[in-house]
Amino acid sequence: MDLNKIKEAAQSYEKDMTAFLRAIVKNPGESCDEKAHIETISAEMKKVGFDEVFVDPQGNVIGYMGTGDKVIAFDAHIDTVGIGNTANWNFDPYEGFETETEIGGRGTSDQCGGIVSSVYGAKIMKEMDLIPEGYKIMVVGTVQEEDCDGLCWQYIINEDKIRPEFVVSTEPTDGGIYRGQRGRMEIRVDVKGISCHGSAPERGDNAIYKMSDIIQDIRALNENDAEEGTPIKGLVKMLDPKYNPDWEEARFLGRGTVTVSQIFYTSPSRCAVADSCAISLDRRMTFGETWESCLDEIRALPSVQKYGDDVVVSMYQYDRPSYTGCVYEIECYFPTWAIPKDHKVTKALEAAYTSLYGDKRIGAEETLPMRQARPLTDKWTFSTNGVSIMGRNGIPCIGFGPGAEAQAHAPNEKTWKQDLVTCAATYAVLPTMYTK
């Protein structure tokens, strides 16, 4: 490989990539409403010379370069969150903006920039004969990730019958290589009560009072230590070899957390005792925790035990139809995953990046102090489609993508043109490094 020529090729496509990204984000593309994004991406794939482009029944756009039997995939979810309070934006989130170095707009970092670099990385591979013999490159723009991480890949693997050799997640990585993330799940706790007139509350059984006890125990589970005398041992215990055989990777990813995210109730009126109460829990999981263990630890809390059959602890289900009308129901469980630091895929991506750009993160000047304070190979704080790719299905997954985690879901979202170029070049080199 002529690495300088690859870098020059990526740089030469900066204007094309910028125009492509702005064309995507000029249309809203929230989960279950991504059709305009998909159409824009499909048209660009065809324009730059992909050998095959199609949209599957769920609505994911898939493009192939090459014709081999083995698949190396690059994943980018192309749905976005909403824009929130428009007063918090300094510019139109869909019109966006462009400077010499930046591109602004909803989805520029999270994470439409990833599909842009992937499409042009594959274009460079084809033009410079960098697709290894026997392989084809798959670039996929996936849907519904913001709503239900990994649902798209469950569909791709189980229904489209596509199982890549490995997948690069192009979620934003702040110039680094990310090899894992904490998992998450969405838990619901329901409590029953008995209503009565508010003038004589002792005649009823107030579900909100019961729930208040449970909430305090959940708070303790998140905040407590794990010392011997602690009645509710905190989630920090999973960083201790005494409680978790996977403590090393747990320390790498960080401890799990739990917080109450929503609360609901029913009551006949404002002058009555509440006869039910429910809460949603956002549970982040580290290595060694499973959906069963997370449900069981809520069921084991003293207050939950105290109220017995009046409490039901369950996991949410996701069943929203995609923009094509496809319903693919799944439980709201998104497993923890990490690819080993010495895995062939990890080493290949590190070799691809360092051969081009050295052993430190690079980027726009404003990003460098934060980026270069972190190791080159690290992990995400948020969740990605890797929960399905590797977490559920055991397909090796590694992360490298343009943009910044801190820009995700934030007003005035932006990305940097340099990141688009850096990622496109690195993607182009990766398959050769992997098959060496």
Side-chain angles (χ1 to χ4, degrees):
M1 289 185 294
D2 189 326
L3 297 174
N4 285 328
K5 283 189 176 179
I6 293 168
K7 290 168 73 172
E8 288 168 8
Q11 189 64 53
S12 75
Y13 289 127
E14 181 189 288
K15 288 184 179 179
D16 296 283
M17 289 192 282
T18 298
F20 180 24
L21 181 54
R22 295 201 68 190
I24 297 171
V25 302
K26 77 175 183 180
N27 293 302
E30 294 175 38
S31 295
C32 307
D33 189 27
E34 305 97 334
K35 184 178 181 181
H37 283 193
I38 293 293
E39 289 175 345
T40 303
I41 294 161
S42 178
E44 191 79 7
M45 285 178 166
K46 292 172 183 174
K47 185 181 89 173
V48 304
F50 272 69
D51 297 312
E52 182 183 357
V53 180
F54 65 95
V55 177
D56 74 7
Q58 190 181 40
N60 306 295
V61 58
I62 297 171
Y64 287 117
M65 287 288 202
T67 57
D69 295 328
K70 300 175 185 176
V71 175
I72 294 173
F74 294 82
D75 170 63
H77 78 78
I78 53 74
D79 59 322
T80 73
V81 294
I83 58 176
N85 184 353
T86 55
N88 291 330
W89 288 77
N90 299 327
F91 57 88
D92 185 304
Y94 299 117
E95 178 63 29
F97 74 85
E98 179 184 345
T99 69
E100 188 177 337
T101 59
E102 299 173 349
I103 307 164
R106 174 54 86 213
T108 49
S109 264
D110 187 22
Q111 62 114 163
C112 296
I115 193 72
V116 169
S117 291
S118 300
V119 166
Y120 277 85
K123 176 178 171 63
I124 294 167
M125 290 180 219
K126 184 175 183 179
E127 290 174 342
M128 301 186 71
D129 196 24
L130 297 173
I131 301 174
E133 186 177 352
Y135 283 84
K136 60 183 174 183
I137 304 304
M138 173 185 179
V139 176
V140 54
T142 45
V143 298
Q144 292 180 276
E145 189 272 352
E146 295 292 4
D147 248 18
C148 187
D149 328 7
L151 176 72
C152 48
W153 272 93
Q154 286 300 106
Y155 192 93
I156 289 166
I157 293 165
N158 295 327
E159 308 305 323
D160 294 338
K161 306 300 182 186
I162 302 169
R163 190 176 180 89
E165 199 158 298
F166 73 91
V167 180
V168 178
S169 170
T170 64
E171 289 267 17
T173 59
D174 283 295
I177 294 166
Y178 287 179
R179 65 177 187 88
Q181 55 155 101
R182 292 182 304 166
R184 72 179 187 92
M185 64 184 297
E186 298 172 4
I187 299 172
R188 182 178 171 105
V189 182
D190 285 271
V191 176
K192 292 189 293 187
I194 299 173
S195 63
C196 69
H197 200 285
S199 63
E202 69 278 2
R203 296 174 184 163
D205 185 13
N206 197 315
I208 292 176
Y209 287 167
K210 292 178 178 178
M211 187 63 82
S212 68
D213 291 342
I214 293 170
I215 288 172
Q216 289 308 308
D217 280 359
I218 290 166
R219 184 175 183 178
L221 182 65
N222 187 65
E223 297 179 358
N224 281 2
D225 59 33
E227 299 303 314
E228 283 300 326
T230 305
I232 300 175
K233 290 185 171 51
L235 297 178
V236 70
K237 68 180 181 289
M238 297 303 287
L239 306 185
D240 189 333
K242 179 178 176 181
Y243 297 102
N244 185 9
D246 293 317
W247 62 273
E248 274 192 285
E249 288 288 39
R251 289 184 184 180
F252 167 66
L253 294 177
R255 52 158 289 185
T257 58
V258 62
T259 191
V260 177
S261 55
Q262 294 176 316
I263 189 163
F264 320 95
Y265 73 92
T266 61
S267 175
S269 78
R270 287 198 299 271
C271 338
V273 164
D275 55 12
S276 80
C277 190
I279 55 174
S280 301
L281 305 180
D282 180 277
R283 177 67 160 90
R284 303 287 158 154
M285 300 175 293
T286 193
F287 242 76
E289 295 176 320
T290 65
W291 67 267
E292 296 100 332
S293 70
C294 292
L295 293 178
D296 285 346
E297 80 190 348
I298 300 297
R299 291 169 179 146
L301 292 172
S303 55
V304 175
Q305 291 287 304
K306 174 182 173 182
Y307 296 121
D309 292 341
D310 287 347
V311 185
V312 175
V313 180
S314 61
M315 183 164 37
Y316 279 96
Q317 297 283 315
Y318 182 83
D319 61 359
R320 279 188 75 192
S322 74
Y323 77 88
T324 65
C326 175
V327 175
Y328 201 64
E329 189 170 352
I330 197 169
E331 62 276 354
C332 294
Y333 166 59
F334 312 96
T336 310
W337 65 275
I339 189 170
K341 58 186 177 183
D342 58 354
H343 194 282
K344 180 181 178 181
V345 171
T346 310
K347 292 302 182 185
L349 184 50
E350 289 173 340
Y353 177 83
T354 57
S355 69
L356 291 164
Y357 299 109
D359 60 2
K360 293 185 182 298
R361 302 186 189 208
I362 66 168
E365 187 174 346
E366 69 176 285
T367 69
L368 286 180
M370 182 279 291
R371 289 185 176 189
Q372 296 194 349
R374 298 177 66 180
L376 176 61
T377 302
D378 206 355
K379 76 275 186 181
W380 280 288
T381 56
F382 57 42
S383 187
T384 74
N385 279 334
V387 298
S388 173
I389 297 163
M390 190 165 183
R392 285 179 181 266
N393 292 285
I395 298 169
C397 186
I398 193 81
F400 185 68
E405 283 185 274
Q407 292 294 320
H409 303 188
N412 305 307
E413 182 180 353
K414 67 179 182 179
T415 196
W416 295 269
K417 295 178 181 180
Q418 175 62 55
D419 283 4
L420 299 178
V421 171
T422 300
C423 288
T426 304
Y427 298 159
V429 172
L430 175 58
T432 302
M433 289 295 186
Y434 174 73
T435 55
K436 260 186 168 181

